[in-house]
Structure formats: C-alpha cells, structure tokens
Amino acid sequence: MTRTATTPALYDVAHEARRWSAFRRNRLAIASLVFLAAIVAACVLAAAWSIPASNDQHLDDARTPPTWLQPLGTDKLGRPLWARCLLGGLISLGVGLAAAAISVIIGTGWGAFAGLTGGRVDAIMMRLVDILYGLPYILLVILIKFAFERRLEGVFGAAAANVIILFLAIGAVSWLTMARVVRGQVLSLKAQPFVEAARAGGVSGAGIFWRHLLPNLIGPILVYATLTVPQAMLQESFLSFLGIGIHPPLPSWGNLAADGLEAINNVQSAWWLIVFPCTLLSATLLSLNFIGDGLRDAFDPSQSG
Amino acid sequence: MIRRIGSRLVQAPLILWAVYTITFVMVVSVPGNPFEHEGGRNLSPVIEMGLRQRYGMEDNWQFYWRYLTGLLHGDLGQSLHYRDWTCNQIVRHSLPVSAALGSLALLIALFAGVGLGVIGAVRRHTVWDYLTLGVAVVGISVPTFVIGAGLLILLAVWVRLFPPGGWGTPAQLVLPAVTLALPFMAYIARLTRLGMIDVLSSDFLRTARAKGLSESQVVLKHALRVAFLPVLSFLGPAAAAVLTGSFVIEKVFNVPGLGLHFVNGVINRDQMLILAAVTVYAGLIVLFNLLVDIAYTWLDPRISAEAI
C-alpha cells in the first residue's frame, strides 16, 4: 500500500526542539562535546604523521622527558609519545565506536523482536538477557577474541584482525542494556493508537517497525549508544592493559598505560609515559559520559537523577 | 518465594553446563596446537598424540565428556603450561587471594557507596551532594588501572605509606582493595542516592515522621530499607564484575590471584586452565546471584506477599 504522509503520532517538532535546547543549556555536556571534538580531530587529522612516526625507533633517544622537539617525550625504544598517543587514541576511539555500533544493531534487533513478538518468545529472550547480565562479559570478550582472532588473521592480516576481532567481541557482549531499553520502548509504543491504526490499515509487522516504531526509538537508542561508547573503550583499554587487547607495536591508550606503569619504579620514573596516555583516556571517557548523561537528561527525563 | 528460589536452583546447573559448553567450543576451536610453545619447534605427530593421550584430549568429544565428568567429581584437570601443577592446585592457591581482595573491595564499596548515597540524598543540592555525584562520575568513567597507578605513584613510590605490591600482609591489601572498590562504590552511591530521593517523599515516611520518629531513625530504618533494594539486585552482577575486575588490579599491584592465572592461561593457550578458571568463575557467580535472590525475597515484603 502507498502512504502519502508518514508522520508518527509521537513525533513533534516543537517537543524535539525543546529537548535539544535542554541539552544545549547543559554546560558540562557542551564543554565535553567541544573537548571530544578536539581530541577526535587531533587523532584523525594527525594520522598521516602519527602512523609512520609511531613506530619510528631511535634507541639513542630512549626515555627522553618532554622537550620542545618531543612535546610528550619518548618511550623505551625512543619512539615519539605524541605519535603513539594520537594513533592510540584513533584506535581506542575507533574500537569504541565500532563496538557501540555493533551493540546498537544487535540490541535494537533483539529488543524490538522480543517486544513486537511478545508472549513466550519475549519471556525466553529477556530471561536470556537476564542470565547474560549475571555473567562476567569480559570473560566472554576474552574467549571470543581467543577463539576467532587467528581465523581472521588469515583473511585480514595480523594488525587488522587484531582491531576487528576486538570491536566485534566487545560489541557482541555489550548490547544487553540496549535490548532492554528498546524492548521497553517497543512495548509502550505498541499500545499506542497509531500503531493499532497502522495495523488496521494492513501494514505488515516489518513495515510497522521500520516506519512507525523506529523513528520513535531513535532518541533512546542515541542516548544509550552514547553511553555504550565509553563502556566499550573502557573494556578495550582493560584488555590492552592486560596484554590481550591491541598487540604492540600497534598502540592503544590501554597498552600505552601498561607500558607506562612498567616504567615506574623507585630508581627512575619516566612519569610522562604513564601521565599522558592515562590523562587522555580518562578525560575522553569522562567527556563521553558527560555527553551521554546530558543527552539522557534531555531526551529521557524518567531515567535522570 | 520458595518457588522462585526453587526455579533458580533448577536453572543453576543448566547455566553452568551452558557456560562450560560455550567455553569448551571456543577453547577447542582455536586453530593450532596447544602443546607447541611460542616460537618453538614443531612436535612430531607421535609425540603430540602421546601428549594428547596423557591429558585425555585425543579428540574433542572425548575431551568434552571426560572433562565434564571430571568437573562433576571436582577435578579441574591438569595445566598444560605449568606441567607439574593441576588446575585444582592453582585454583586452591590463587582463589583465596582473589576472594579476599574481592570481598574486601565489595564491603568497602557497599559501606562507602551507601553512606555517600544517603548523605547526597539527605543533603540534596549541597556541597556533599555534588561531592557524591563527582565521585560517582569519576569512579564510573576513569579506568581502575589509572586510579591504581595514581595511588601507586602517590602513596607507594612518593610517600611510601603502603607497599607497592605483592601479597601477604594487611598493608599490601589496602591499595588494591580500595582501587577495585571505587567503580562499584560510585555505582552504589548513585543507586542509593536515586532510591533515597524517591523514597524520602513517599507517604509511609510521612506516617513514620508523624508518629514521632527522629529523622535519623526515619532515614536509616525505614527509607534505607526500601532504597537498598536496587543496590541489592546490583550486588549479584557486581560480585561477578569484582571477580573479573580484579584481573587488572592484580596486574597493577602484582597480586597472585586467579585473574592473573586466567589471563596467563589465555596468553599461553592453556586450554585446561581456561576451562578451569571459567568454570570456577561461573560457579561463584551463579552462587552469588542465588544468594542475592534469597536476600531479596527476605528483604522485600512485596515479593514474599505475592507468593502467599
């Protein structure tokens, strides 16, 4: 059937505008957004220089403190830390974003299917989510990575396989909250008159989902996707810190921090090796969380505190 | 209430079996040979077959059933990497370390988190409240290894108040436990604060105040009991996360716990140790969730009323 106007009943331009202005008034969130944009821009724009420089070893200049020539100092192999931090940031942010995207796809699909189908299927699917919630996801990430990395190496090469399996594994376990949120929204939307009207008009289940439910789900999905990015980055940094995430010589903020911690002892402390990666990682995660909280306060007032 | 706990008791072995099977499939699907060392020479097929026979790993089906029956008898298998250790011995040495660290961290998180949350809710929009929110945001965002490294440099390298790592004395327990506790404390503080703000304006508290109870009695006896419920249901997943969160802490502070062994097991492709560690973790987590369920029905009058 053809439809001339596809205006979902809940969509309201004035309401939407009010939400954005509520977000814009949140100074902490806006400051975080500016900071994050600067970090992302630096990591992306400098990639052309940071990629070759990040593995450029000068053993004579190992562990030089920050100077004008080496603004962040050098590591134990004399590689410039600025390049390693920027490339590490690119990798950490990229893994976080890709993992969040995967978790959005799985979580939305799972939650929407459970909510739309209802009944016994819904109960079983959500009970499974409950059980998975209770299990330590980091174990699962490690196992997935362990099981599939070598298979991917044959297809993509070692470095690419390392990054790809990491975001696939993290994305595959971090969709649980998304599934719960989407299911809840679908359940409440399903009871709305406009969905009933569409069904009475003969729109198929898939059509109802794509044209009527999805536009109304974008808000909560966006909010929880923003909150998933720092979670995914946190997991990547944990794994890289433990030596089972991003493998050297490829840098990530997590494995740079691990290298930095190794360089701390009572005899000589190369403080820059730990301070810079840790500060960048923490500040980025903080700002992502502030942005996510700001979006949640503006778009989903029932969840704010 | 009994039905609810009964159904969980039936589910528990099923969950454990599922976790074991999934782990097993992942462990054996890794291409390559678990007996070959990094950069070592290739094993001749005869030697490899002999080694596989010794560990009961001739083919996957046999390995699966033999390990499963071993588990039912409490046998976690023989480590492939640490040739003269059984996994039972490794677990027996390292689990108490992780458990001590984890339970201390959970206690710190519980008391400090609930305390901060209550203060934040009662003194809303004051410095105390903002302090609670600040701690909560930092605790949730900043990775524990960053906080751990900071504490290590500050209190162990510069000031030398605490030993920088290792295990055995109470002083060595302080820094890792506090670091491990922080994210959970942050989350508990947030949950408690939200729950308290909700409860403090409810009708039954007005009644409690009207009958002349002091404000501290109202808050601590009546409001906290309700506001604590979301915290309690968080404790199950939190216990799981504390166990695995300690991987990182164990590395920062060089604590010889089970997490470090699991990570090394993955790096060394020690299939037996991975299976053993995951099974032990899953068992502990299922047990903990069960305890939380029981505590929940006991604390929340609504759930037990439903069952009558």
Side-chain angles (χ1 to χ4, degrees):
Chain A
M1 77 177 268
T2 51
R3 289 176 60 89
T4 41
T6 47
T7 328
L10 291 189
Y11 194 80
D12 170 357
V13 177
H15 193 51
E16 207 76 349
R18 220 166 26 245
R19 288 167 159 184
W20 281 115
S21 83
F23 179 70
R24 274 199 298 275
R25 273 198 305 278
N26 187 336
R27 280 190 199 149
L28 199 55
I30 293 299
S32 303
L33 201 60
V34 172
F35 174 77
L36 190 70
I39 291 274
V40 172
C43 289
V44 172
L45 295 178
W49 296 279
S50 67
I51 290 172
S54 71
N55 208 15
D56 182 17
Q57 303 181 8
H58 295 279
L59 291 174
D60 300 339
D61 298 327
R63 292 206 185 92
T64 5
T67 58
W68 285 111
L69 273 175
Q70 290 291 356
L72 301 187
T74 63
D75 71 355
K76 63 181 176 207
L77 297 175
R79 295 174 293 194
L81 194 62
W82 68 264
R84 294 189 68 71
C85 277
L86 286 179
L87 182 59
L90 196 62
I91 290 171
S92 293
L93 284 162
V95 168
L97 271 178
I102 288 169
S103 89
V104 166
I105 293 168
I106 303 178
T108 309
W110 190 277
F113 188 80
L116 280 174
T117 315
R120 188 165 278 242
V121 176
D122 177 38
I124 293 174
M125 283 174 84
M126 293 326 279
R127 184 73 195 110
L128 206 65
V129 169
D130 287 345
I131 292 173
L132 287 177
Y133 244 111
L135 296 176
Y137 42 77
I138 199 110
L139 278 183
L140 210 55
V141 175
I142 294 174
L143 286 175
I144 294 174
K145 187 172 176 287
F146 174 68
F148 298 110
E149 183 166 11
R150 287 195 159 207
R151 284 161 197 273
L152 284 183
E153 271 176 16
V155 186
F156 299 104
N162 184 212
V163 176
I164 292 171
I165 191 64
L166 204 55
F167 70 70
L168 285 181
I170 294 173
V173 298
S174 36
W175 51 271
L176 299 174
T177 308
M178 187 65 82
R180 279 187 177 173
V181 169
V182 169
R183 172 182 171 269
Q185 288 284 321
V186 166
L187 282 184
S188 75
L189 286 171
K190 215 167 70 165
Q192 299 277 340
F194 73 91
V195 174
E196 208 178 317
R199 187 166 293 133
V203 184
S204 67
I208 289 179
F209 175 69
W210 286 107
R211 302 185 84 161
H212 298 275
L213 295 184
L214 202 58
N216 288 304
L217 290 172
I218 299 279
I221 290 176
L222 180 76
V223 169
Y224 285 92
T226 325
L227 288 168
T228 308
V229 177
Q231 286 306 314
M233 286 182 66
L234 203 60
Q235 282 174 32
E236 180 276 318
S237 71
F238 275 177
L239 293 178
S240 298
F241 181 82
L242 288 171
I244 43 187
I246 298 287
H247 303 304
L250 226 53
S252 100
W253 284 338
N255 69 25
L256 289 175
D259 288 349
L261 192 66
E262 248 168 55
I264 297 294
N265 52 48
N266 286 337
V267 186
Q268 120 206 91
S269 50
W271 55 269
W272 58 95
L273 286 179
I274 192 151
V275 167
F276 293 122
C278 283
T279 313
L280 280 168
L281 176 60
S282 307
T284 305
L285 290 174
L286 266 175
S287 61
L288 275 165
N289 274 313
F290 283 137
I291 295 168
D293 282 347
L295 282 174
R296 188 175 53 187
D297 290 350
F299 282 82
D300 191 6
S302 64
Q303 295 288 318
S304 65
Chain B
M1 174 179 137
I2 291 169
R3 252 189 75 185
R4 191 182 146 96
I5 291 171
S7 82
R8 291 293 155 97
L9 273 177
V10 175
Q11 275 175 10
L14 284 177
I15 294 175
L16 284 179
W17 171 75
V19 169
Y20 166 69
T21 306
I22 293 169
T23 312
F24 186 88
V25 170
M26 293 207 174
V27 160
V28 295
S29 67
V30 180
N33 182 349
F35 296 103
E36 134 205 334
H37 287 287
E38 284 291 318
R41 65 201 165 85
N42 287 335
L43 289 175
S44 81
V46 182
I47 303 277
E48 193 192 323
M49 203 57 218
L51 278 170
R52 282 189 181 274
Q53 258 164 14
R54 194 183 135 205
Y55 289 100
M57 297 165 66
E58 293 95 320
D59 72 272
N60 288 341
W61 270 113
Q62 209 176 0
F63 183 21
Y64 179 84
W65 289 114
R66 203 175 279 181
Y67 197 84
L68 190 61
T69 41
L71 280 182
L72 294 177
H73 293 97
D75 178 11
L76 296 171
Q78 192 102 40
S79 166
L80 303 182
H81 185 77
Y82 305 102
R83 291 279 155 100
D84 43 359
W85 285 77
T86 65
C87 294
N88 285 58
Q89 286 172 318
I90 293 175
V91 169
R92 210 178 304 131
H93 275 94
S94 58
L95 186 62
V97 174
S98 291
L101 180 59
S103 41
L104 186 64
L106 214 51
L107 275 180
I108 296 174
L110 193 58
F111 281 100
V114 168
L116 271 175
V118 168
I119 293 170
V122 174
R123 303 254 175 276
R124 219 177 156 190
H125 300 306
T126 64
V127 179
W128 294 107
D129 190 17
Y130 295 128
L131 193 73
T132 306
L133 287 175
V135 169
V137 164
V138 170
I140 289 169
S141 316
V142 179
T144 42
F145 60 80
V146 173
I147 293 167
L151 288 177
L152 196 67
I153 294 170
L154 221 65
L155 296 179
V157 178
W158 284 355
V159 185
R160 303 201 183 191
L161 210 56
F162 294 102
W167 189 255
T169 66
Q172 284 171 325
L173 198 61
V174 177
L175 287 185
V178 169
T179 314
L180 182 55
L182 207 70
F184 303 99
M185 183 190 92
Y187 202 78
I188 290 174
R190 219 150 113 160
L191 282 177
T192 313
R193 180 179 170 276
L194 271 178
M196 280 302 260
I197 288 173
D198 239 22
V199 171
L200 281 176
S201 56
S202 61
D203 289 339
F204 81 96
L205 281 196
R206 204 175 330 133
T207 315
R209 285 196 189 101
K211 76 177 186 189
L213 291 182
S214 71
E215 189 62 29
S216 65
Q217 256 179 323
V218 169
V219 169
L220 294 178
K221 265 195 171 159
H222 293 257
L224 192 56
R225 190 174 157 146
V226 177
F228 188 66
L229 288 174
V231 176
L232 187 61
S233 49
F234 170 65
L235 279 185
V242 162
L243 276 176
T244 50
S246 74
F247 293 4
V248 172
I249 306 295
E250 284 169 20
K251 176 163 175 169
V252 174
F253 294 99
N254 210 4
V255 175
L258 187 55
L260 219 50
H261 281 295
F262 172 68
V263 171
N264 286 336
V266 171
I267 291 172
N268 296 328
R269 295 204 284 154
D270 189 339
Q271 303 184 331
M272 292 282 191
L273 189 52
I274 296 173
L275 279 172
V278 172
T279 313
V280 169
Y281 278 130
L284 284 172
I285 286 154
V286 166
L287 178 74
F288 223 88
N289 282 327
L290 200 66
L291 291 179
V292 167
D293 263 353
I294 294 171
Y296 209 88
T297 43
W298 175 60
L299 262 182
D300 190 352
R302 278 168 304 186
I303 292 179
S304 41
E306 258 169 38
I308 292 171

